Amino acid sequence: MNEPSHTSTGARYGTHMEAARPYFEIIETALDGLVDGETYFDFLADDFIFEFPFAPPAWPARIEGRAAVIAYFEGYGERFQLDRVDELVTHLSQDPGVVILEYESHGHAVPTGRPYNNHYLSIIYIEDRRIVRWRDYWSPVEVLTALGGTITLP
């Protein structure tokens, strides 16, 4: 499969993914030595599965395949601009193929200019030094609030 290189000249991920750069960098730091590759996308198996169990309506709950994840992040800058991602805690599971990460993001929603801050818990499954599955838990309330959406309670 011919996919664009994300380590070419200029920004490490290209200008179209610069909005998510702090996220990529903290994940690269967290998984250093646990997976093969130099960049976030290098870490992913071709049949990678990305799951968002708490995704709000109209947000994908599951993305399948490395190429589809790359496409998802190519549009990230239309939604959010991250200024930093921090407060990283890495938990190594008793299962050597599972890593749990905690971290926070800080930035703003591009369409509204509103602040965007979220907390994450990521459960990452690794086989043959590639990430095969990622379950990403984050607050949909923070996403909707930053994007100007509303939440209707029963």
Side-chain angles (χ1 to χ4, degrees):
M1 178 184 300
N2 286 338
E3 294 178 13
S5 172
H6 297 285
T7 58
S8 59
T9 60
R12 188 170 170 94
Y13 287 93
T15 56
H16 59 289
M17 292 192 193
E18 184 63 19
R21 180 188 44 75
Y23 166 77
F24 297 138
E25 290 175 348
I26 204 160
I27 299 305
E28 290 165 3
T29 297
L31 298 179
D32 184 41
L34 300 174
V35 293
D36 288 337
E38 293 182 26
T39 70
Y40 178 84
F41 297 115
D42 293 341
F43 298 168
L44 309 181
D46 287 338
D47 58 351
F48 173 74
I49 297 172
F50 210 171
E51 297 172 299
F52 308 108
F54 297 152
W59 201 277
R62 182 180 173 111
I63 302 171
E64 296 187 35
R66 181 177 179 270
V69 172
I70 291 170
Y72 169 80
F73 278 107
E74 285 176 341
Y76 190 85
E78 296 169 13
R79 298 180 299 273
F80 297 105
Q81 170 65 52
L82 297 179
D83 298 322
R84 70 184 195 284
V85 177
D86 54 21
E87 301 301 324
L88 174 66
V89 178
T90 302
H91 303 277
L92 299 177
S93 169
Q94 289 182 335
D95 179 338
V98 178
V99 177
I100 301 164
L101 304 180
E102 297 178 66
Y103 50 97
E104 298 177 10
S105 68
H106 311 278
H108 67 274
V110 172
T112 64
R114 291 181 179 176
Y116 174 64
N117 300 291
N118 216 329
H119 295 80
Y120 304 82
L121 178 73
S122 299
I123 303 172
I124 301 163
Y125 299 85
I126 300 169
E127 293 177 8
D128 299 321
R129 298 190 53 84
R130 293 275 186 243
I131 302 171
V132 295
R133 181 176 172 209
W134 186 302
R135 300 195 84 205
D136 214 25
Y137 294 89
W138 38 264
S139 171
V141 173
E142 297 299 332
V143 170
L144 290 172
T145 300
L147 292 172
T150 58
I151 301 165
T152 304
L153 299 176

